[in-house]
Amino acid sequence: MSEAALKRYRAKRNFAITSEPVDGGEASAGALSFVIQKHWASSLHYDFRLELDGTMKSWAVPKGPSFDPAVKRMAIEVEDHPISYSSFEGTIPAQQYGAGKVIVWDAGTWHPLSEPRKAFRAGNLKFSLAGQKLHGRWVLVRIKGNSEKQTPWLLIKEKDAFVRSSTDYSVVDELPDSVKPTAPTTRGTARSKRAKQLGDWPAGTVKAGLPAKLSPQLATLVDKPPPVTEGWIFEIKFDGYRLLTRIDQKDIRLYTRNGNDWTSKLLPVKAAIAKLKLPPGWYDGEIVVPNAQGVPDFGALQQALESEQPEDLILYLFDLPFLDGHDLRKARLDARRALLQGLLLDAKGATRSEQVRFSSAFDGDPESVKMSACRLGLEGIIAKRSDSNYVSRRSPDWIKLKCGQRQEFVIVGYTDPQGSRNGFGALLLAVHDEHGALRYAGKVGSGFDQRLLLELTSRLEKLSVKECPLAKTPKVDGKPHWVTAKLIAEVSFAQWTAQGQPRHAVFQGLRADKPAEAIVRENSLDVERIAPPTATASRLKVTHPERVIDAQTGTTKIDLVRYYGLVGDLMIDHLKGRPVALLRAPEGVAGQQFFQKHAGTEKLPGVRKLDTKLDPDHPPMLEVTSKAGLLSAAQWNVVEFHTLNTSSRSVARADRMIFDLDPGAGIAWPQVQEAAELMHAFLKQLGLPAFLKTSGGKGLHVVVPLLKRHDREAVKGFAQAVVQHLAKTLPKRFVAKSGPKNRIGKIYIDYLRNGPGASTVAAWSARARPGLGISVPVDWQELASLRGGDHWTVASVHTRLDRGNDPWKDYTDSACSLTAAMKLLDYKA
């Protein structure tokens, strides 16, 4: 049946040209699969596909799904697709059916709530979804349409626990990216051969050699789960030893968190890693030994490590700070994990090695995940911000929630055994205070078997000292025997007493991966203080979200806030460290507009007043320091964000020069494109780098990055000289004088943007004019394909997010002085 059902699919495609799958694929053995593919064809839409009878029933949903039952999304039924299409990502070539980019936006399983074939024929298909983004109950309802070729349906969210108002949350805006791991799954393939499969490296990646040493990122102990769980991933807190693996071709080294080389101790782990033929890099993880129930057992790990050939060791990898000549530490955690997952799993998603595994993330409410972990006897869970960087220190971006109290103590002595017990009675424990002095922290007498008692006694006797190693000798029941403060005990306990000692302490094992000097009392911190919610539109209280700010497109205030949430990370690269001017439009783009450069910031989180001033007669200017600042400003009715050509710390000197190509009446767009090319060529003659962006309005911006060697007046004067030269050389094309009368039939190159206090709309900012065009960085090679200065708008930004700031990736490194160019133009500042 599936072959006949795929006849229309195959008839529409030339498989000699397109990389779309031709084979049908294998039906799911268990639950039926679903996939939603984001498709940039002639217009952006979402392809919604449900597996049924050996194919994927398919609908094109122009606006994508909504969690609001009141929002009914049009869904156009299209031809069945093969099951193998569910994993397809790539670009369908031009001139082919559906030409454009495709990503897997969501995937998972679907569960029909009635007999699906009968429901489909009746045009009322109810089902539940268990995806990475979509959950809960949904319905597809067929409606009467005007075309027999394309049957229209409505995709509607059913009322359940997952419902969210459209004014509060838009899943397509909050979660725009692919859910498919970007790394390949080809076994042992070298990174250089994987480049075409991987595409571009994650944003934030830089080329770098493999460092000889690396300190790991550490988690902060907190009292409860984060207040808002979106943007976090949750993993098991393994009861083992942290292990950093350095792979440099055939040289594989295994290091503890303290930098000790344990390669010789862990030869079976090294051999398992070698079999995987992983690319060079630093791989972060933890070694464990499971007990009979499969739960990591710290005591079993110790016994394994004490043997000459440790068996049953499993290495769980969870992060990838370096890979094949690239530093990934400033890439997002979820991007790093996607690369790692692709290296450790095969094409079917199964682990390639039973001894080296990927540490999976868990879905669901963190409190229930923690409770499940505790019931299984695990130590707890780790929560990590999905967008966080990798840092070699303890960070609030990684937090840990323990099932019970547990920490390390320094062993400073022991007491004599009582009754029939051999060895010792209890271990005397200590921690370092804030001054580095050892303070008594109680004792532990439980958790030892006969073998362990004798082995520990033998080790302790060799460390015997006469003097108490503590800053203050405590009163101890029984006779104390003091030892050199060298061994570290892992101890679980019920709670801390008022005297700062563990109650009902149980010995778990010795640790050899940390220095005794690092052991301090670990206190849980308030999670809301150290891990506040990340900035997203859904977490911001937006007043009057329904207010229409652009009648031409119907864009509302909440739509604009979501837009800035979507482009916030890209835009901050252009805003951070610069004074800004905010253009407000409380009545929308058709109403009154005004700039605010010196507003109070107490109601604008993420916006701060600068310490420096442009001049003594003006109050301090503002800086947008984070994505939260963009969102709070948009809530404050800011539409446009403008930046000055100086840094926040040094406003006296310019760090860029801008030319704004502003077409006068009677100028067609091709003339603007030609003018930009001429300007680019002339700047190239002067030895100046030039970067291009759309203005979001009628024209284009040409930007020259500068070293901070010239003051603002000098840069403005030179920019004027450049414009005057072009106007004199090509008087029929350019004009150097402002004013509408002067630019009729010509292009005015605005150099006044370089003056003191002058500003230019920032990259990714929307424009407060009908259509809400946006300013976007572009490559010079893209200039010919642009349709105007407002080529992209707030509504169509999804078609550009995959390029982001890549066209300007060399911007910072290209900064130059104007001295040589001034000499060539015979300009004297």
Side-chain angles (χ1 to χ4, degrees):
M1 180 177 176
S2 62
E3 289 301 310
L6 294 176
K7 186 176 181 180
R8 271 210 307 155
Y9 165 82
R10 290 175 176 145
K12 290 184 175 184
R13 290 161 175 83
N14 182 348
F15 295 103
I17 299 175
T18 181
S19 60
E20 295 166 279
V22 64
D23 64 302
E26 296 182 5
S28 300
L32 297 168
S33 65
F34 89 91
V35 67
I36 300 177
Q37 284 158 312
K38 191 173 178 179
H39 188 178
W40 289 269
S42 55
S43 62
L44 174 67
H45 63 274
Y46 295 78
D47 292 315
F48 185 84
R49 311 191 197 281
L50 300 175
E51 179 187 353
L52 188 64
D53 292 332
T55 67
M56 302 298 289
K57 297 292 182 186
S58 299
W59 293 261
V61 184
K63 294 186 177 182
S66 169
F67 275 99
D68 191 337
V71 176
K72 299 173 175 61
R73 296 299 202 203
M74 181 65 71
I76 305 300
E77 185 180 348
V78 297
E79 72 276 9
D80 288 3
H81 281 54
I83 293 174
S84 56
Y85 205 96
S86 297
S87 61
F88 173 70
E89 282 195 343
T91 299
I92 302 171
Q95 309 304 319
Q96 291 296 296
Y97 176 74
K101 182 180 175 181
V102 177
I103 65 169
V104 176
W105 181 80
D106 194 19
T109 58
W110 77 285
H111 307 269
L113 301 181
S114 62
E115 205 291 312
R117 297 159 193 83
K118 182 178 179 180
F120 178 79
R121 289 193 298 270
N124 192 344
L125 180 59
K126 294 187 175 184
F127 52 91
S128 65
L129 296 177
Q132 298 187 47
K133 296 177 181 176
L134 299 190
H135 309 278
R137 298 194 304 274
W138 301 74
V139 62
L140 276 162
V141 180
R142 188 166 57 232
I143 58 177
K144 292 182 179 179
N146 297 324
S147 172
E148 295 181 358
K149 293 183 178 180
Q150 291 190 314
T151 305
W153 297 60
L154 294 176
L155 174 65
I156 309 170
K157 180 75 185 75
E158 296 269 79
K159 292 182 179 179
D160 59 17
F162 295 100
V163 163
R164 300 187 69 173
S165 168
S166 61
T167 59
D168 293 335
Y169 184 71
S170 168
V171 66
V172 295
D173 290 323
E174 298 279 0
L175 302 172
D177 301 324
S178 170
V179 298
K180 187 177 179 182
T182 56
T185 54
T186 304
R187 294 191 180 203
T189 307
R191 175 63 182 84
S192 59
K193 295 180 180 179
R194 297 198 319 267
K196 292 183 180 179
Q197 293 173 303
L198 273 171
D200 294 334
W201 288 86
T205 305
V206 294
K207 290 186 177 181
L210 190 64
K213 295 187 179 298
L214 179 69
S215 296
Q217 180 161 344
L218 304 177
T220 300
L221 180 64
V222 296
D223 56 350
K224 55 184 177 292
V228 179
T229 57
E230 290 178 44
W232 293 84
I233 64 170
F234 301 92
E235 299 176 63
I236 287 175
K237 187 180 188 305
F238 294 105
D239 198 0
Y241 277 179
R242 190 72 171 272
L243 197 72
L244 291 157
T245 301
R246 185 181 188 273
I247 301 177
D248 189 1
Q249 305 306 328
K250 294 184 178 181
D251 183 26
I252 300 173
R253 313 300 297 177
L254 308 175
Y255 296 94
T256 68
R257 58 176 278 181
N258 197 43
N260 297 319
D261 190 338
W262 276 20
T263 310
S264 60
K265 290 185 179 183
L266 302 171
L267 293 178
V269 177
K270 177 184 177 181
I273 294 171
K275 287 182 181 179
L276 289 172
K277 297 181 180 179
L278 297 172
W282 276 99
Y283 297 76
D284 195 356
E286 188 140 346
I287 50 167
V288 302
V289 171
N291 59 20
Q293 290 73 43
V295 176
D297 187 323
F298 189 73
L301 173 63
Q302 277 205 305
Q303 291 183 34
L305 293 175
E306 289 171 2
S307 65
E308 292 185 2
Q309 287 294 322
E311 298 180 357
D312 301 322
L313 292 175
I314 295 176
L315 173 60
Y316 282 96
L317 295 175
F318 45 71
D319 213 327
L320 187 58
F322 286 85
L323 178 64
D324 200 14
H326 291 79
D327 182 347
L328 300 171
R329 290 175 296 178
K330 289 189 177 180
R332 294 171 55 104
L333 170 66
D334 49 13
R336 300 195 303 270
R337 283 176 54 83
L339 287 169
L340 178 61
Q341 184 179 25
L343 294 168
L344 298 177
L345 303 182
D346 64 19
K348 295 184 178 180
T351 184
R352 293 175 53 200
S353 168
E354 288 300 316
Q355 201 166 354
V356 181
R357 304 180 187 178
F358 179 68
S359 172
S360 298
F362 293 88
D363 295 326
D365 174 74
E367 193 59 54
S368 63
V369 173
K370 178 189 171 186
M371 289 176 62
S372 298
C374 296
R375 282 196 297 267
L376 290 171
L378 297 167
E379 190 181 352
I381 62 172
I382 298 283
K384 302 174 181 177
R385 286 196 187 277
S386 58
D387 62 352
S388 62
N389 301 150
Y390 190 96
V391 294
S392 294
R393 55 177 169 80
R394 196 170 299 280
S395 166
D397 289 334
W398 289 15
I399 57 179
K400 53 187 175 182
L401 296 118
K402 294 185 177 181
C403 292
Q405 298 277 13
R406 180 164 168 161
Q407 78 154 69
E408 301 93 9
F409 295 88
V410 181
I411 300 174
V412 293
Y414 58 94
T415 61
D416 289 329
Q418 300 293 319
S420 62
R421 183 164 178 163
N422 295 318
F424 58 84
L427 297 178
L428 304 179
L429 308 174
V431 293
H432 290 88
D433 63 16
E434 64 272 19
H435 304 295
L438 272 173
R439 300 291 179 181
Y440 182 61
K443 56 187 178 181
V444 57
S446 300
F448 307 99
D449 58 21
Q450 186 65 25
R451 178 192 62 82
L452 193 53
L453 282 169
L454 296 177
E455 289 180 0
L456 269 176
T457 301
S458 175
R459 295 186 67 173
L460 292 168
E461 287 175 345
K462 295 176 183 178
L463 297 173
S464 178
V465 294
K466 293 182 179 181
E467 298 294 328
C468 174
L470 297 165
K472 181 180 180 181
T473 303
K475 291 182 180 180
V476 178
D477 291 337
K479 182 182 178 182
H481 300 272
W482 305 113
V483 299
T484 302
K486 184 176 180 181
L487 298 180
I488 300 171
E490 178 99 5
V491 178
S492 61
F493 52 98
Q495 63 186 99
W496 290 99
T497 68
Q499 293 73 36
Q501 298 179 16
R503 188 190 301 277
H504 305 311
V506 179
F507 179 81
Q508 298 294 330
L510 293 178
R511 296 204 74 103
D513 60 335
K514 301 179 181 180
E517 296 78 13
I519 304 305
V520 296
R521 175 172 169 172
E522 188 175 30
N523 295 309
S524 63
L525 301 178
D526 181 359
V527 70
E528 294 187 13
R529 181 173 65 84
I530 70 163
T534 52
T536 65
S538 62
R539 297 173 194 141
L540 179 73
K541 183 179 180 181
V542 178
T543 58
H544 306 294
E546 75 291 342
R547 180 188 293 153
V548 175
I549 61 171
D550 177 33
Q552 178 175 310
T553 60
T555 303
T556 61
K557 182 178 177 181
I558 188 62
D559 292 331
L560 186 64
V561 172
R562 285 187 181 135
Y563 166 75
Y564 281 119
L566 194 63
V567 301
D569 292 331
L570 297 170
M571 194 169 174
I572 284 297
D573 286 346
H574 301 270
L575 290 176
K576 202 168 185 179
R578 287 188 181 280
V580 299
L582 308 175
L583 181 67
R584 298 181 66 199
E587 300 172 359
V589 299
Q592 183 183 12
Q593 302 176 13
F594 53 92
F595 275 105
Q596 281 193 257
K597 300 182 179 180
H598 316 289
T601 60
E602 56 277 355
K603 294 184 179 180
L604 297 177
V607 179
R608 72 179 183 101
K609 288 183 179 179
L610 297 176
D611 296 328
T612 54
K613 298 182 180 182
L614 285 176
D615 58 65
D617 297 328
H618 286 82
M621 291 198 68
L622 306 176
E623 179 190 351
V624 177
T625 61
S626 67
K627 182 177 174 180
L630 283 169
L631 298 180
S632 60
Q635 148 60 18
W636 198 46
N637 300 308
V638 172
V639 177
E640 294 187 8
F641 295 79
H642 289 238
T643 54
L644 277 66
N645 298 337
T646 62
S647 71
S648 299
R649 289 185 293 179
S650 176
V651 297
R653 295 185 179 275
D655 63 357
R656 71 183 181 196
M657 180 170 59
I658 289 183
F659 300 95
D660 180 3
L661 277 62
D662 190 359
I667 292 293
W669 176 247
Q671 293 171 275
V672 180
Q673 293 169 301
E674 180 192 45
E677 290 285 15
L678 290 170
M679 167 132 268
H680 185 205
F682 184 56
L683 291 174
K684 198 171 184 178
Q685 285 184 346
L686 295 175
L688 297 175
F691 291 81
L692 182 67
K693 70 183 180 77
T694 62
S695 68
K698 296 185 296 180
L700 294 166
H701 293 159
V702 178
V703 185
V704 178
L706 300 177
L707 297 172
K708 298 174 185 177
R709 295 179 182 174
H710 310 279
D711 62 36
R712 291 168 292 162
E713 285 292 353
V715 173
K716 175 189 172 186
F718 181 68
Q720 181 179 14
V722 170
V723 171
Q724 289 174 338
H725 178 87
L726 286 169
K728 183 179 179 180
T729 306
L730 300 167
K732 292 184 179 180
R733 289 187 174 92
F734 299 115
V735 63
K737 291 183 179 181
S738 61
K741 293 181 180 180
N742 295 320
R743 69 181 77 173
I744 295 175
K746 297 181 181 181
I747 294 173
Y748 169 58
I749 307 177
D750 187 356
Y751 62 86
L752 297 174
R753 301 284 181 184
N754 300 287
S759 63
T760 307
V761 71
W764 300 106
S765 174
R767 302 306 303 272
R769 56 187 67 187
L772 291 175
I774 57 177
S775 178
V776 176
V778 294
D779 283 321
W780 283 102
Q781 293 85 347
E782 295 179 282
L783 177 58
S785 64
L786 298 179
R787 298 187 303 272
D790 57 355
H791 183 95
W792 291 280
T793 67
V794 166
S796 66
V797 68
H798 283 274
T799 64
R800 188 62 179 180
L801 290 176
D802 58 331
R803 288 299 311 276
N805 289 324
D806 284 351
W808 281 29
K809 62 181 181 295
D810 298 325
Y811 179 89
T812 301
D813 293 338
S814 300
C816 64
S817 168
L818 290 176
T819 303
M822 287 177 173
K823 290 181 179 178
L824 284 172
L825 198 58
D826 196 23
Y827 173 81
K828 295 181 181 179

